[in-house]
Amino acid sequence: MIIDIAGEKLTLLPQRALFWPARQMLVIADIHFGKAASFRAQGIPVPRGTTTENLDALDALVDACQAMHILFLGDFLHARHAHASATMAAVAGWRERRGELALTLVRGNHDRHAGDPPSTLRIGVVDEPHRIGPFVFAHHPKADPDGYVLAGHLHPVYRLTSRGDALRLPCFLFGAGVGLLPSFGSFTGGYPVLPAMGDRLFVAADDRVLEIPVRAQR
């Protein structure tokens, strides 16, 4: 799904990411590396393998889009326990294989608690807001006079209903000055959003992105 925002063409991907072709840049929100490890460190039994799943998904997108830059919209690491040796070894191995990529992290609220990624990962770490061209990249979805904001943080999902059935799907939501990206991480929750009139809403469903008409809320 290709849309025009701030005079630029952006591709919305069903893998819950955004691609900016003019900059060969993938934009990823809320990957939350180490979230499962953080839960296990607290004695909560959760599945293993989410880090590998996220890295495999990144590989597939980089190859499909021929991306040269990945910009993370915050919450790269979930908590201090995310620095667990197995998690960091997997991410470091991926970085070694993908040494040609430029990586930028706009710090989010979880990053401030978890700490920055190890310097060996060669990730440029910046505070929000971070401006490139007509866009302001941020973790928190707050309007900025310097450009159109692309942000994460909320893990937006939209609830589709039909004849008594309901389905929650990750979504992209674009307002007048702020666009929300869904959470990329495979082990993250979702926050239901209600679009306002004039917003554009897109859901990520299996292998496609679908625009959902926005109607007045009753």
Side-chain angles (χ1 to χ4, degrees), residues 68-202:
M68 297 299 296
H69 187 178
I70 302 178
L71 190 147
F72 296 95
L73 295 178
D75 292 359
F76 183 83
L77 298 175
H78 181 72
R80 291 201 177 276
H81 288 298
H83 290 268
S85 58
T87 301
M88 289 294 97
V91 177
W94 176 85
R95 183 54 168 141
E96 185 174 351
R97 297 192 304 274
R98 292 292 187 175
E100 79 285 359
L101 286 174
L103 303 180
T104 302
L105 167 63
V106 180
R107 290 187 182 96
N109 54 302
H110 279 268
D111 299 302
R112 299 189 186 285
H113 295 293
D116 289 343
S119 59
T120 52
L121 295 180
R122 306 189 312 282
I123 300 175
V125 182
V126 298
D127 289 323
E128 62 181 348
H130 179 60
R131 183 171 182 178
I132 303 176
F135 298 113
V136 172
F137 295 95
H139 180 63
H140 297 91
K142 181 181 178 182
D144 192 297
D146 288 336
Y148 190 93
V149 174
L150 295 172
H153 183 58
L154 293 183
H155 305 193
V157 297
Y158 186 71
R159 187 171 182 266
L160 291 171
T161 58
S162 175
R163 297 182 180 179
D165 289 332
L167 180 65
R168 294 200 334 166
L169 292 173
C171 67
F172 301 83
L173 182 61
F174 295 93
V178 177
L180 269 177
L181 274 66
S183 170
F184 185 83
S186 61
F187 185 57
T188 55
Y191 176 79
V193 294
L194 291 175
M197 289 300 294
D199 289 352
R200 296 187 71 187
L201 173 72
F202 303 84

Side-chain angles (χ1 to χ4, degrees), residues 15-29:
Q15 296 87 349
R16 305 186 303 279
L18 180 152
F19 183 58
W20 184 8
R23 299 291 181 113
Q24 293 182 277
M25 179 190 293
L26 274 173
V27 184
I28 303 288

Side-chain angles (χ1 to χ4, degrees), residues 33-46:
F33 280 121
K35 183 173 183 178
S38 298
F39 275 55
R40 288 193 295 272
Q42 298 174 59
I44 303 171
V46 296

